[in-house]
Amino acid sequence: MTSRSDADVEELTVKAARVHRSLLTLRGRATSSDGDVSIEVSIDGRITTMVVSQSFSQAGPDTAAAAIARTHSEALADAEAAAAEIRRELTEDYRVARIVDRIANEPPSLDVDNNRTDDRKSIYDRW
């Protein structure tokens, strides 16, 4: 018979793996207001698909760059919003909250390799 603690760890491990898999396949999407540019991005902002209309080639370089940058930014915002929803499965789990609280209250490590800028990030941002 396994203890409740072991069962909690196993359940959280399965949940974390499910969230991780979902984040790996997550895509954000956006289309420019004129419909000339459509972009799909992964959660890290990499463009996975970009489609431009035939008329887009007539846009000047500055206009084209601005449309791509704006649409990319909107696609990334879409991905980040979806990721927050997916992560909520973990962030709203009281067991995870207890772990995060415990970690947040620990003093920073004195290891030479410790990157102090990472210590200021949320544990969820470090995924």
Side-chain angles (χ1 to χ4, degrees):
M1 180 185 320
T2 62
S3 72
R4 181 67 207 151
S5 174
D6 289 343
D8 279 350
V9 169
E10 184 174 338
E11 184 181 335
L12 284 173
T13 301
V14 169
K15 189 182 282 193
R18 183 174 51 247
V19 167
H20 180 70
R21 280 191 309 274
S22 295
L23 291 172
L24 289 176
T25 60
L26 179 90
R27 298 293 181 262
R29 293 170 185 79
T31 300
S32 62
S33 59
D34 59 10
D36 283 344
V37 181
S38 292
I39 295 179
E40 177 186 272
V41 298
S42 59
I43 187 61
D44 64 0
R46 286 178 298 119
I47 295 174
T48 55
T49 305
M50 184 168 82
V51 178
V52 296
S53 71
Q54 192 169 7
S55 63
F56 186 73
S57 63
Q58 297 171 354
D62 291 341
T63 302
I68 290 169
R70 186 173 43 256
T71 306
H72 177 262
S73 182
E74 291 169 2
L76 184 55
D78 181 56
E80 289 170 345
E85 274 301 309
I86 291 169
R87 287 183 184 121
R88 187 166 288 128
E89 181 178 355
L90 283 176
T91 60
E92 290 183 350
D93 188 306
Y94 74 94
R95 297 165 298 186
V96 173
R98 284 194 330 228
I99 293 168
V100 170
D101 287 344
R102 193 174 318 140
I103 291 170
N105 291 323
E106 287 180 2
S109 170
L110 298 176
D111 291 341
V112 173
D113 294 334
N114 188 30
N115 183 344
R116 294 208 183 271
T117 58
D118 282 347
D119 285 346
R120 290 185 291 253
K121 290 183 180 177
S122 161
I123 189 172
Y124 303 110
D125 292 337
R126 288 186 245 164
W127 285 359

